[in-house]
Amino acid sequence: AHALRALGLLYGALDAKTFGGLAQDTVAAATASVQAASRAVAKRSGPMDGQLFQVKQLLVLREQIGPFQADFSAVDRVLDFTHLRDHLRRIAGGPASLFSLGADNAVLQLVSRGGPRVLESQVDSKKELEGALKAGCEAFIMGATKLTVDDMLSFITKVTAVKVASSSKPLRQQAFAAPSRLAEMVARVRNAMAGPLPAAVAKMRLYMASPATHAVLLKPIKANVAEAHHQIASLLEAEYTAEERAQIGLTTSEELAAILDAL
């Protein structure tokens, strides 16, 4: 925070190249600091808190650097000595002679080819910030999705494996896909939508006040939950009798829409 305030004071007082270099270093350091802090939060309070902390702090950082019209990229140069091992190995192995008077003299080769190579890579701290922000959002979305419909996703994976194996046994006669087992799975998902999912959404709102941010994070979670239910509904329609579907009691699309809209 202090470094970013200092950047604000220096903005306009320095030439673009100098300010860009300072901005690049500052934003890179701030992003790394947020990521380290998020790991500490996750260790203390749980993965979801760590993810939400990272998203919140990186959103603040992105907003703070928004007014700066600067180049946040730089060329990172490092010296690479790894190829020296090949020369030393040749000397030790014998192919390159220390006593030759010709071009294959080991010392001459080491002097002429053994110097360090300069490796260059483009570093863009603003892109790194955006990448870390995206990763935090995706981790939260996936965590909330699994918290809610992980049982359904696991079931769909098993069904896919059975179909790939070309089993002649009807799906509803498979032990893992018996109607009673599916009824238990549906009940667990209902419980997750009634408790853990709303709790995760409430936690998200504690970390971030912006309705726009809420919408960005909630939309894919709702879509994932709806898609999992849709895939289960399609399987039930294709593989189970009407009586079995009634026993399983999958949440209807209307009920599901009402639950998700209430989040």
Side-chain angles (χ1 to χ4, degrees):
H2 294 300
L4 288 169
R5 280 197 291 270
L7 273 184
L9 294 173
L10 292 171
Y11 186 57
L14 298 174
D15 63 88
K17 185 176 181 180
T18 302
F19 181 82
L22 284 173
Q24 193 276 329
D25 289 342
T26 302
V27 172
T31 301
S33 178
V34 168
Q35 290 175 306
S38 74
R39 289 192 290 270
V41 170
K43 188 174 182 180
R44 184 177 68 249
S45 304
M48 190 166 285
D49 284 273
Q51 294 152 8
L52 290 170
F53 175 87
Q54 177 167 316
V55 171
K56 176 183 178 179
Q57 297 302 323
L58 291 178
L59 283 172
V60 171
L61 178 57
R62 184 172 69 175
E63 183 179 352
Q64 287 176 325
I65 67 172
F68 300 147
Q69 298 297 317
D71 182 5
F72 290 88
S73 64
V75 177
D76 190 22
R77 295 182 177 87
V78 295
L79 295 178
D80 175 30
F81 292 92
T82 56
H83 62 294
L84 286 176
R85 287 179 299 184
D86 295 331
H87 291 297
L88 294 174
R89 192 177 295 115
R90 291 185 66 204
I91 293 172
S97 173
L98 288 170
F99 305 103
S100 171
L101 298 178
D104 61 344
N105 181 276
V107 175
L108 288 176
Q109 289 189 15
L110 192 61
V111 171
S112 61
R113 304 177 192 173
R117 292 184 292 215
V118 179
L119 300 181
E120 294 186 351
S121 59
Q122 189 79 13
V123 180
D124 190 320
S125 59
K126 193 172 184 180
K127 285 184 178 179
E128 289 179 352
L129 186 160
E130 294 291 346
L133 177 57
K134 181 182 179 183
C137 290
E138 289 176 346
F140 172 72
I141 290 165
M142 186 53 63
T145 297
K146 293 188 70 175
L147 184 70
T148 311
V149 292
D150 193 40
D151 282 345
M152 287 183 171
L153 300 177
S154 297
F155 176 76
I156 292 166
T157 301
K158 289 178 183 177
V159 170
T160 302
V162 168
K163 289 184 178 295
V164 168
S166 301
S167 174
S168 59
K169 194 175 183 180
L171 181 62
R172 65 180 184 276
Q173 293 179 13
Q174 302 279 350
F176 77 92
S180 59
R181 296 283 295 273
L182 284 182
E184 293 171 359
M185 177 191 74
V186 167
R188 288 194 296 271
V189 172
R190 277 184 179 273
N191 288 336
M193 291 192 296
L197 179 58
V201 173
K203 181 174 287 190
M204 176 197 70
R205 290 196 168 100
L206 281 176
Y207 274 90
M208 283 158 286
S210 168
T213 304
H214 300 163
V216 168
L217 292 173
L218 275 176
K219 185 177 179 180
I221 294 171
K222 292 179 179 181
N224 291 342
V225 172
E227 177 60 22
H229 278 79
H230 173 71
Q231 290 193 39
I232 296 296
S234 297
L235 282 170
L236 295 182
E237 188 67 32
E239 304 282 351
Y240 294 79
T241 66
E243 184 180 349
E244 288 168 336
R245 292 196 296 271
Q247 177 189 346
I248 292 166
L250 181 67
T251 304
T252 66
S253 57
E254 293 79 11
E255 290 174 323
L256 183 62
I259 291 169
L260 296 178
D261 287 343
L263 291 174

